[in-house]
Amino acid sequence: MTSAFASASASGSGSGSGSLPGDPPIRVLIVDDQMMVREGFSVLLNAMPGIEVVGEAVDGRQAIAKVAALRPDVVLMDIRMPELNGIEATREIVAADADAKVLVLTTFDLDEYVYQALRAGASGFLLKDASARQLADGVRVVAAGEALLAPTVTKRLINEFAKLAEAPRPPALARVGDLTERETEVLVLIAQGRSNAEIASHLVVAESTIKTHVSRILVKLGLRDRTQAAVFAYEARLVTPS
């Protein structure tokens, strides 16, 4: 089985990993309590075509305020910070703006952080030792609306989902019955890490048709993006970790 959330890899092979000439730059807010980390990421990203760092924040509280003021396209979010950690800040940011995209960056790849960050609404997860290109491609992937997980944490997340097999199924997951057979099929393929183009090729339909299916899936299940759709598919046991 394809690894979860591999639809857009850190190497930039996924759909939406780049921007078209003439497009406005992707506006990024960097959130980290360490000044050297913020400055380092800022230098790296500003050197990349099509990306502009528009601000920095030192903790979760400041991040929430700056997101509201600056409206960045992508928030690079550290997890362990004073005042308010990155997971809680992510939860508040996406609750205030359903279109907000958060890419979590951390030195920690423990199961609890990966799972909690995605449940909070993060669109992706990268470790801080990612290369400059991986970081830039990750920003582009998340800005394009795809899900992203660093290869080093994908296996850990799958193991976390495997634990759900022994847990009671939450009542809210009964909503999966609202999906048509084709929508359920598309949801499974999303959870397997396939992009819209790959799903369209697999099902032999137009990519625009898949985009319509994805939109309907999100509306019916009350989800904000593909990342939450993939998490939902695992929790509903439509996909079995292997």
Side-chain angles (χ1 to χ4, degrees):
M1 185 193 72
T2 304
S3 295
F5 309 102
S7 62
S9 70
S11 62
S13 60
S15 63
S17 60
S19 56
L20 296 175
D23 283 352
I26 299 170
R27 304 172 71 255
V28 178
L29 173 70
I30 298 174
V31 185
D32 196 290
D33 61 333
Q34 297 183 46
M35 181 178 67
M36 291 184 65
V37 172
R38 295 195 308 274
E39 291 181 349
F41 285 151
S42 182
V43 169
L44 289 175
L45 289 175
N46 278 326
M48 295 293 176
I51 298 177
E52 176 187 4
V53 176
V54 296
E56 299 177 7
V58 301
D59 57 48
R61 290 291 180 203
Q62 192 175 103
I64 294 169
K66 290 208 171 185
V67 166
L70 299 173
R71 307 286 292 182
D73 299 307
V74 175
V75 180
L76 289 185
M77 181 74 75
D78 187 26
I79 285 184
R80 291 192 173 186
M81 296 182 294
E83 299 297 328
L84 190 70
N85 65 46
I87 293 173
E88 292 303 321
T90 296
R91 184 174 290 112
E92 291 195 29
I93 287 169
V94 299
D97 181 2
D99 294 325
K101 294 179 176 65
V102 179
L103 176 57
V104 172
L105 281 164
T106 183
T107 54
F108 304 97
D109 61 347
L110 302 178
D111 296 348
E112 60 180 298
Y113 294 122
V114 180
Y115 190 61
Q116 288 177 20
L118 293 174
R119 288 300 305 273
S123 297
F125 194 107
L126 276 178
L127 298 183
K128 287 183 178 178
D129 61 1
S131 68
R133 178 175 176 178
Q134 287 174 327
L135 179 61
D137 284 345
V139 167
R140 295 187 183 106
V141 164
V142 169
E146 297 286 353
L148 178 74
L149 273 187
T152 52
V153 300
T154 301
K155 183 176 184 296
R156 294 177 181 271
L157 183 64
I158 291 175
N159 289 338
E160 185 71 18
F161 281 125
K163 298 175 186 177
L164 296 172
E166 301 176 359
R169 198 178 294 198
L173 297 181
R175 290 174 295 169
V176 73
D178 295 335
L179 301 180
T180 65
E181 183 176 346
R182 177 46 62 92
E183 288 167 351
T184 301
E185 189 175 9
V186 170
L187 177 58
V188 169
L189 292 170
I190 289 173
Q192 290 178 348
R194 305 204 191 191
S195 67
N196 285 346
E198 290 168 339
I199 296 173
S201 177
H202 179 77
L203 298 179
V204 195
V205 297
E207 187 173 351
S208 59
T209 300
I210 299 304
K211 290 180 179 179
T212 298
H213 284 314
V214 172
S215 296
R216 289 175 178 169
I217 289 168
L218 297 181
V219 170
K220 287 184 177 182
L221 299 181
L223 305 173
R224 64 183 297 270
D225 57 23
R226 295 170 68 93
T227 310
Q228 288 197 342
V231 171
F232 181 97
Y234 274 89
E235 291 181 331
R237 299 167 206 166
L238 296 175
V239 181
T240 303
S242 62

